[in-house]
mmCIF file with all atom_site columns, all heavy atoms in Angstrom:
data_model
loop_
_atom_site.group_PDB
_atom_site.id
_atom_site.type_symbol
_atom_site.label_atom_id
_atom_site.label_alt_id
_atom_site.label_comp_id
_atom_site.label_asym_id
_atom_site.label_entity_id
_atom_site.label_seq_id
_atom_site.pdbx_PDB_ins_code
_atom_site.Cartn_x
_atom_site.Cartn_y
_atom_site.Cartn_z
_atom_site.occupancy
_atom_site.B_iso_or_equiv
_atom_site.pdbx_formal_charge
_atom_site.auth_seq_id
_atom_site.auth_comp_id
_atom_site.auth_asym_id
_atom_site.auth_atom_id
_atom_site.pdbx_PDB_model_num
ATOM 1   N N   . ASP A 1 153 ? -33.562 17.788 2.324  1.00 96.00 ? 161 ASP A N   1
ATOM 2   C CA  . ASP A 1 153 ? -34.431 18.762 2.946  1.00 96.00 ? 161 ASP A CA  1
ATOM 3   C C   . ASP A 1 153 ? -33.659 19.695 3.858  1.00 96.00 ? 161 ASP A C   1
ATOM 4   O O   . ASP A 1 153 ? -33.861 20.941 3.862  1.00 96.00 ? 161 ASP A O   1
ATOM 5   C CB  . ASP A 1 153 ? -35.533 18.057 3.786  1.00 96.00 ? 161 ASP A CB  1
ATOM 6   C CG  . ASP A 1 153 ? -36.605 17.452 2.883  1.00 96.00 ? 161 ASP A CG  1
ATOM 7   O OD1 . ASP A 1 153 ? -36.604 17.714 1.660  1.00 96.00 ? 161 ASP A OD1 1
ATOM 8   O OD2 . ASP A 1 153 ? -37.439 16.690 3.443  1.00 96.00 ? 161 ASP A OD2 1
ATOM 9   N N   . ILE A 1 154 ? -32.740 19.153 4.679  1.00 96.00 ? 162 ILE A N   1
ATOM 10  C CA  . ILE A 1 154 ? -31.923 19.976 5.577  1.00 96.00 ? 162 ILE A CA  1
ATOM 11  C C   . ILE A 1 154 ? -30.995 20.869 4.780  1.00 96.00 ? 162 ILE A C   1
ATOM 12  O O   . ILE A 1 154 ? -30.862 22.076 5.072  1.00 96.00 ? 162 ILE A O   1
ATOM 13  C CB  . ILE A 1 154 ? -31.180 19.069 6.587  1.00 96.00 ? 162 ILE A CB  1
ATOM 14  C CG1 . ILE A 1 154 ? -32.154 18.393 7.537  1.00 96.00 ? 162 ILE A CG1 1
ATOM 15  C CG2 . ILE A 1 154 ? -30.158 19.906 7.355  1.00 96.00 ? 162 ILE A CG2 1
ATOM 16  C CD1 . ILE A 1 154 ? -31.577 17.354 8.453  1.00 96.00 ? 162 ILE A CD1 1
ATOM 17  N N   . THR A 1 155 ? -30.375 20.339 3.749  1.00 96.00 ? 163 THR A N   1
ATOM 18  C CA  . THR A 1 155 ? -29.503 21.159 2.900  1.00 96.00 ? 163 THR A CA  1
ATOM 19  C C   . THR A 1 155 ? -30.276 22.283 2.254  1.00 96.00 ? 163 THR A C   1
ATOM 20  O O   . THR A 1 155 ? -29.776 23.425 2.214  1.00 96.00 ? 163 THR A O   1
ATOM 21  C CB  . THR A 1 155 ? -28.867 20.259 1.814  1.00 96.00 ? 163 THR A CB  1
ATOM 22  O OG1 . THR A 1 155 ? -28.145 19.179 2.431  1.00 96.00 ? 163 THR A OG1 1
ATOM 23  C CG2 . THR A 1 155 ? -27.927 21.039 0.941  1.00 96.00 ? 163 THR A CG2 1
ATOM 24  N N   . THR A 1 156 ? -31.451 22.002 1.766  1.00 96.00 ? 164 THR A N   1
ATOM 25  C CA  . THR A 1 156 ? -32.286 23.052 1.168  1.00 96.00 ? 164 THR A CA  1
ATOM 26  C C   . THR A 1 156 ? -32.638 24.150 2.176  1.00 96.00 ? 164 THR A C   1
ATOM 27  O O   . THR A 1 156 ? -32.607 25.331 1.865  1.00 96.00 ? 164 THR A O   1
ATOM 28  C CB  . THR A 1 156 ? -33.601 22.457 0.576  1.00 96.00 ? 164 THR A CB  1
ATOM 29  O OG1 . THR A 1 156 ? -33.218 21.486 -0.409 1.00 96.00 ? 164 THR A OG1 1
ATOM 30  C CG2 . THR A 1 156 ? -34.494 23.516 -0.050 1.00 96.00 ? 164 THR A CG2 1
ATOM 31  N N   . ARG A 1 157 ? -32.984 23.742 3.407  1.00 97.00 ? 165 ARG A N   1
ATOM 32  C CA  . ARG A 1 157 ? -33.285 24.765 4.420  1.00 97.00 ? 165 ARG A CA  1
ATOM 33  C C   . ARG A 1 157 ? -32.106 25.608 4.773  1.00 97.00 ? 165 ARG A C   1
ATOM 34  O O   . ARG A 1 157 ? -32.240 26.819 4.966  1.00 97.00 ? 165 ARG A O   1
ATOM 35  C CB  . ARG A 1 157 ? -33.850 24.060 5.680  1.00 97.00 ? 165 ARG A CB  1
ATOM 36  C CG  . ARG A 1 157 ? -35.203 23.502 5.529  1.00 97.00 ? 165 ARG A CG  1
ATOM 37  C CD  . ARG A 1 157 ? -35.659 22.775 6.744  1.00 97.00 ? 165 ARG A CD  1
ATOM 38  N NE  . ARG A 1 157 ? -36.901 22.096 6.467  1.00 97.00 ? 165 ARG A NE  1
ATOM 39  C CZ  . ARG A 1 157 ? -37.962 22.162 7.264  1.00 97.00 ? 165 ARG A CZ  1
ATOM 40  N NH1 . ARG A 1 157 ? -37.955 22.892 8.348  1.00 97.00 ? 165 ARG A NH1 1
ATOM 41  N NH2 . ARG A 1 157 ? -39.054 21.530 6.942  1.00 97.00 ? 165 ARG A NH2 1
ATOM 42  N N   . ILE A 1 158 ? -30.900 25.016 4.849  1.00 96.00 ? 166 ILE A N   1
ATOM 43  C CA  . ILE A 1 158 ? -29.702 25.793 5.123  1.00 96.00 ? 166 ILE A CA  1
ATOM 44  C C   . ILE A 1 158 ? -29.438 26.762 3.971  1.00 96.00 ? 166 ILE A C   1
ATOM 45  O O   . ILE A 1 158 ? -29.140 27.955 4.239  1.00 96.00 ? 166 ILE A O   1
ATOM 46  C CB  . ILE A 1 158 ? -28.478 24.845 5.368  1.00 96.00 ? 166 ILE A CB  1
ATOM 47  C CG1 . ILE A 1 158 ? -28.678 24.065 6.658  1.00 96.00 ? 166 ILE A CG1 1
ATOM 48  C CG2 . ILE A 1 158 ? -27.143 25.649 5.378  1.00 96.00 ? 166 ILE A CG2 1
ATOM 49  C CD1 . ILE A 1 158 ? -27.613 22.962 6.869  1.00 96.00 ? 166 ILE A CD1 1
ATOM 50  N N   . LEU A 1 159 ? -29.526 26.299 2.759  1.00 96.00 ? 167 LEU A N   1
ATOM 51  C CA  . LEU A 1 159 ? -29.290 27.191 1.597  1.00 96.00 ? 167 LEU A CA  1
ATOM 52  C C   . LEU A 1 159 ? -30.295 28.296 1.530  1.00 96.00 ? 167 LEU A C   1
ATOM 53  O O   . LEU A 1 159 ? -29.953 29.449 1.232  1.00 96.00 ? 167 LEU A O   1
ATOM 54  C CB  . LEU A 1 159 ? -29.304 26.363 0.282  1.00 96.00 ? 167 LEU A CB  1
ATOM 55  C CG  . LEU A 1 159 ? -28.123 25.440 0.096  1.00 96.00 ? 167 LEU A CG  1
ATOM 56  C CD1 . LEU A 1 159 ? -28.411 24.468 -1.042 1.00 96.00 ? 167 LEU A CD1 1
ATOM 57  C CD2 . LEU A 1 159 ? -26.847 26.259 -0.212 1.00 96.00 ? 167 LEU A CD2 1
ATOM 58  N N   . THR A 1 160 ? -31.535 27.993 1.818  1.00 96.00 ? 168 THR A N   1
ATOM 59  C CA  . THR A 1 160 ? -32.595 29.033 1.829  1.00 96.00 ? 168 THR A CA  1
ATOM 60  C C   . THR A 1 160 ? -32.305 30.099 2.887  1.00 96.00 ? 168 THR A C   1
ATOM 61  O O   . THR A 1 160 ? -32.388 31.325 2.592  1.00 96.00 ? 168 THR A O   1
ATOM 62  C CB  . THR A 1 160 ? -33.975 28.390 2.059  1.00 96.00 ? 168 THR A CB  1
ATOM 63  O OG1 . THR A 1 160 ? -34.223 27.415 1.017  1.00 96.00 ? 168 THR A OG1 1
ATOM 64  C CG2 . THR A 1 160 ? -35.088 29.405 2.102  1.00 96.00 ? 168 THR A CG2 1
ATOM 65  N N   . ARG A 1 161 ? -31.910 29.641 4.056  1.00 96.00 ? 169 ARG A N   1
ATOM 66  C CA  . ARG A 1 161 ? -31.584 30.587 5.132  1.00 96.00 ? 169 ARG A CA  1
ATOM 67  C C   . ARG A 1 161 ? -30.350 31.429 4.758  1.00 96.00 ? 169 ARG A C   1
ATOM 68  O O   . ARG A 1 161 ? -30.332 32.644 5.014  1.00 96.00 ? 169 ARG A O   1
ATOM 69  C CB  . ARG A 1 161 ? -31.332 29.852 6.425  1.00 96.00 ? 169 ARG A CB  1
ATOM 70  C CG  . ARG A 1 161 ? -30.970 30.718 7.621  1.00 96.00 ? 169 ARG A CG  1
ATOM 71  C CD  . ARG A 1 161 ? -32.100 31.682 7.989  1.00 96.00 ? 169 ARG A CD  1
ATOM 72  N NE  . ARG A 1 161 ? -31.675 32.483 9.113  1.00 96.00 ? 169 ARG A NE  1
ATOM 73  C CZ  . ARG A 1 161 ? -31.968 33.778 9.218  1.00 96.00 ? 169 ARG A CZ  1
ATOM 74  N NH1 . ARG A 1 161 ? -32.698 34.363 8.324  1.00 96.00 ? 169 ARG A NH1 1
ATOM 75  N NH2 . ARG A 1 161 ? -31.534 34.485 10.223 1.00 96.00 ? 169 ARG A NH2 1
ATOM 76  N N   . ALA A 1 162 ? -29.331 30.826 4.179  1.00 95.00 ? 170 ALA A N   1
ATOM 77  C CA  . ALA A 1 162 ? -28.147 31.575 3.757  1.00 95.00 ? 170 ALA A CA  1
ATOM 78  C C   . ALA A 1 162 ? -28.456 32.589 2.694  1.00 95.00 ? 170 ALA A C   1
ATOM 79  O O   . ALA A 1 162 ? -27.993 33.759 2.780  1.00 95.00 ? 170 ALA A O   1
ATOM 80  C CB  . ALA A 1 162 ? -27.094 30.584 3.221  1.00 95.00 ? 170 ALA A CB  1
ATOM 81  N N   . ARG A 1 163 ? -29.331 32.278 1.749  1.00 94.00 ? 171 ARG A N   1
ATOM 82  C CA  . ARG A 1 163 ? -29.725 33.274 0.740  1.00 94.00 ? 171 ARG A CA  1
ATOM 83  C C   . ARG A 1 163 ? -30.559 34.371 1.347  1.00 94.00 ? 171 ARG A C   1
ATOM 84  O O   . ARG A 1 163 ? -30.402 35.537 0.917  1.00 94.00 ? 171 ARG A O   1
ATOM 85  C CB  . ARG A 1 163 ? -30.516 32.559 -0.370 1.00 94.00 ? 171 ARG A CB  1
ATOM 86  C CG  . ARG A 1 163 ? -29.608 31.674 -1.227 1.00 94.00 ? 171 ARG A CG  1
ATOM 87  C CD  . ARG A 1 163 ? -30.373 30.973 -2.346 1.00 94.00 ? 171 ARG A CD  1
ATOM 88  N NE  . ARG A 1 163 ? -29.496 30.097 -3.073 1.00 94.00 ? 171 ARG A NE  1
ATOM 89  C CZ  . ARG A 1 163 ? -29.675 28.770 -3.164 1.00 94.00 ? 171 ARG A CZ  1
ATOM 90  N NH1 . ARG A 1 163 ? -30.729 28.174 -2.601 1.00 94.00 ? 171 ARG A NH1 1
ATOM 91  N NH2 . ARG A 1 163 ? -28.824 28.022 -3.811 1.00 94.00 ? 171 ARG A NH2 1
ATOM 92  N N   . GLN A 1 164 ? -31.361 34.025 2.344  1.00 95.00 ? 172 GLN A N   1
ATOM 93  C CA  . GLN A 1 164 ? -32.153 35.071 3.011  1.00 95.00 ? 172 GLN A CA  1
ATOM 94  C C   . GLN A 1 164 ? -31.217 36.031 3.750  1.00 95.00 ? 172 GLN A C   1
ATOM 95  O O   . GLN A 1 164 ? -31.400 37.242 3.748  1.00 95.00 ? 172 GLN A O   1
ATOM 96  C CB  . GLN A 1 164 ? -33.114 34.426 3.998  1.00 95.00 ? 172 GLN A CB  1
ATOM 97  C CG  . GLN A 1 164 ? -33.953 35.398 4.788  1.00 95.00 ? 172 GLN A CG  1
ATOM 98  C CD  . GLN A 1 164 ? -34.760 34.699 5.822  1.00 95.00 ? 172 GLN A CD  1
ATOM 99  O OE1 . GLN A 1 164 ? -34.471 33.563 6.229  1.00 95.00 ? 172 GLN A OE1 1
ATOM 100 N NE2 . GLN A 1 164 ? -35.811 35.381 6.298  1.00 95.00 ? 172 GLN A NE2 1
#
Side-chain angles (χ1 to χ4, degrees):
D161 287 351
I162 292 172
T163 302
T164 300
R165 287 177 189 230
I166 292 171
L167 288 166
T168 301
R169 179 65 181 141
R171 289 181 185 119
Q172 178 187 21

